[in-house]
């Protein structure tokens, strides 16, 4: 059996599973009007089989700084919507979201066979 491949890691950020400890930080972002306006409603927990949620973390840090989601996945058609939100205001404008988008697109194409 082939071992699972790790989730994507870039130059500045990495994509990981969302941990129970992350929920407090993420819930605080819902009070930031700029985050909510740009990222939309926060849905960390989801039983939807057509939605995959991940944490965006700085490379080398356990802190969560964003949410990356593939939602509305149409497995038969190989398509999905991609959503990225960087929560802390001091982490925005640094290219972290752009890098996370690239990592998620590569993951969607290479690992999930979406196109």
């Amino acid at each position: 059996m082939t071992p699972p491949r790790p989730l994507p890691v870039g130059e500045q950020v990495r994509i990981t599973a969302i941990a129970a400890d992350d929920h407090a930080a993420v819930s605080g972002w819902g009070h930031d009007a700029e985050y909510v306006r740009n990222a939309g409603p926060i849905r960390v927990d989801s039983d939807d089989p057509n939605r995959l949620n991940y944490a965006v973390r700085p490379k080398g840090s356990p802190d969560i700084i964003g949410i990356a989601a593939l939602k509305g996945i149409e497995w038969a058609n190989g398509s999905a919507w991609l959503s990225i939100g960087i929560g802390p205001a001091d982490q925005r404008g640094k290219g972290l979201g752009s890098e996370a988008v690239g990592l998620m697109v590569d993951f969607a194409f290479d690992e999930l066979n979406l196109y």
Side-chain angles (χ1 to χ4, degrees):
M1 177 177 201
T2 304
R5 291 176 49 181
L7 288 169
V9 177
E11 294 293 320
Q12 302 179 84
V13 297
R14 60 196 175 97
I15 305 299
T16 72
I18 297 173
D21 294 354
D22 296 330
H23 292 265
V26 173
S27 68
W29 303 340
H31 301 287
D32 181 333
E34 183 179 7
Y35 179 86
V36 172
R37 182 175 55 253
N38 291 318
I42 300 168
R43 285 183 46 194
V44 173
D45 293 322
S46 178
D47 291 331
D48 184 349
N50 300 314
R51 181 182 182 100
L52 300 173
N53 297 311
Y54 296 98
V56 178
R57 301 181 196 281
K59 192 173 175 181
S61 171
D63 298 335
I64 185 169
I65 60 162
I67 298 291
L70 292 168
K71 51 191 176 180
I73 301 171
E74 294 182 13
W75 297 103
N77 295 323
S79 64
W81 289 95
L82 171 62
S83 173
I84 300 283
I86 300 297
D90 66 343
Q91 297 297 313
R92 298 180 201 143
K94 298 179 176 184
L96 304 176
S98 296
E99 184 175 64
V101 166
L103 293 173
M104 288 299 293
V105 168
D106 289 346
F107 176 71
F109 289 175
D110 299 341
E111 295 297 322
L112 302 179
N113 202 31
L114 302 180
Y115 55 91

